[in-house]
Amino acid sequence: MTTRAPLATDTLPSRWPTLAGAVVVLTTITGVLLIAFAWPSVRSSVHDVPIAVAGPTAAVAQVRTALEQRVPGGFDITEVADTASVEQLIRDRQVYGAIDLSSGTPQVIVASAASTAVAQTLQTMATGLGRDGNAGTPVAVRDLAALPADDPRGAGLSAGALPLVMGGLLAAVLLTRLVRGTGRRVAGALAFATTGGLAVAGILQFWFGSLSGSYPANAGAVALSIAAVSLTVLGLESVFGYAGIGIGAVIMMLIGNPLSGMATAPEMLPGWSGALGQLLPPGAGGRLLRSTAFFDGRGATAAVTVLVVWATLGALLCLIGGLRAHRAISNPERTIRKDYQQA
């Protein structure tokens, strides 16, 4: 038995063009990552944020004019008659907060659990309102849906978006590498979504104190989010191979996570990006979790629909990939002949 002697070229340094190409690729990747994660935050601003104003028509018109002068196009104002109507809109997650002039004493009603950034902005915008029309006089602020005392800034909830995406991606990668059979991979993804939902919701709610509401509902929201991510990536891998995992990572990590609006609010993201983010699993999952944790599930219909659509799409892709693999195994000669003809 002879052993091949190593060629001289095996130990030679790489050519300079190869090194230059590697540097260009790394620089491009770094720039893309920076843009994906930093651009939404840097360009974040108030535009078309839905709020309500309650009170007489003349007073509402005055507030509308004042807000428009301070932040042109910043708020989408719904006019209502009384405090009860305002509170119902906030609880149903149709508006983020309100300026209430209906009781004679101006007050600002916020929902920090919906968005701490919007709540702070609304309070700042309302400082010009005064009692009996005297500008500069402080107004009362009431938080209708406050964050838990253990996490008043909502840090745990905001930081939880990335682990959900990472968990779904990791599940797809590991199941692809370790488990054979499309049906078993889908079953594994669903099982992990269940256990992951229980674990993540338990940590956020009972350890960090970042969530309120029903623990089973919160766990279900997290589980549905993980399932949407993992099944989508599994389906893409089943159809496109390892390239599908890359496609899924770009959709979920580089696009979905930065545009989720978890740290601020979708309406505060630049341009159309906030609306796009709510159509992807990270954004829809974040909205669903806020709804179950702080609003008794109100305003969750659209988010549930988005997540179910993504999970169903992923399952269908898994089915397509599984059927293709089954045909290849059942007719190996036909598959080889087809590949030969294409070559």
Side-chain angles (χ1 to χ4, degrees):
M1 180 177 179
T2 59
T3 303
R4 184 180 70 88
L7 298 176
T9 55
D10 292 343
T11 58
L12 291 177
S14 298
R15 308 184 75 169
W16 288 109
T18 302
L19 174 61
V23 171
V24 170
V25 170
L26 290 172
T27 303
T28 302
I29 293 175
T30 302
V32 170
L33 289 173
L34 176 62
I35 293 172
F37 285 92
W39 174 69
S41 298
V42 172
R43 294 290 183 249
S44 178
S45 63
V46 178
H47 53 85
D48 294 327
V49 174
I51 66 171
V53 180
T57 302
V60 172
Q62 184 178 0
V63 170
R64 185 191 297 271
T65 301
L67 292 178
E68 184 64 26
Q69 289 176 348
R70 288 192 175 193
V71 186
F75 297 98
D76 181 10
I77 298 174
T78 299
E79 181 178 347
V80 295
D82 51 31
T83 304
S85 300
V86 161
E87 293 179 350
Q88 190 62 45
L89 288 175
I90 294 175
R91 290 194 176 98
D92 290 342
R93 302 205 66 189
Q94 296 184 34
V95 298
Y96 282 96
I99 299 172
D100 184 10
L101 308 173
S102 63
S103 60
T105 302
Q107 66 172 332
V108 177
I109 305 176
V110 299
S112 58
S115 171
T116 54
V118 173
Q120 293 170 359
T121 300
L122 188 57
Q123 294 178 54
T124 302
M125 292 296 102
T127 54
L129 295 174
R131 301 179 188 274
D132 300 326
N134 296 320
T137 304
V139 298
V141 177
R142 182 160 60 94
D143 199 337
L144 193 63
L147 288 162
D150 290 339
D151 188 9
R153 296 181 295 115
L157 188 60
S158 299
L162 183 58
L164 293 184
V165 177
M166 290 294 295
L169 288 172
L170 182 61
V173 172
L174 289 181
L175 289 170
T176 300
R177 298 281 294 179
L178 303 178
V179 178
R180 292 178 184 155
T182 301
R184 285 174 173 77
R185 288 177 179 177
V186 171
L190 294 176
F192 167 69
T194 302
T195 58
L198 292 170
V200 171
I203 292 171
L204 288 176
Q205 188 157 352
F206 301 122
W207 185 2
F208 295 167
S210 300
L211 300 179
S212 301
S214 167
Y215 168 65
N218 294 335
V222 176
L224 184 56
S225 302
I226 294 176
V229 175
S230 59
L231 286 176
T232 299
V233 179
L234 271 179
L236 290 170
E237 189 281 333
S238 181
V239 174
F240 300 107
Y242 286 118
I245 296 179
I247 296 172
V250 169
I251 295 174
M252 303 300 175
M253 183 69 68
L254 294 185
I255 300 177
N257 188 67
L259 301 186
S260 66
M262 286 292 287
T264 54
E267 291 82 3
M268 296 185 72
L269 297 178
W272 44 263
S273 59
L276 174 62
Q278 296 304 294
L279 297 177
L280 299 175
R287 179 174 179 82
L288 176 58
L289 186 55
R290 286 187 188 272
S291 292
T292 58
F294 306 109
F295 297 91
D296 296 325
R298 296 185 182 94
T301 302
V304 171
T305 302
V306 169
L307 293 173
V308 169
V309 167
W310 278 98
T312 303
L313 175 62
L316 289 175
L317 290 176
C318 287
L319 178 61
I320 293 172
L323 291 175
R324 180 187 298 175
H326 178 72
R327 286 198 299 267
I329 294 173
S330 301
N331 302 286
E333 294 182 0
R334 180 180 177 183
T335 303
I336 293 174
R337 190 182 307 113
K338 181 178 180 181
D339 292 341
Y340 177 77
Q341 291 174 349
Q342 290 177 349

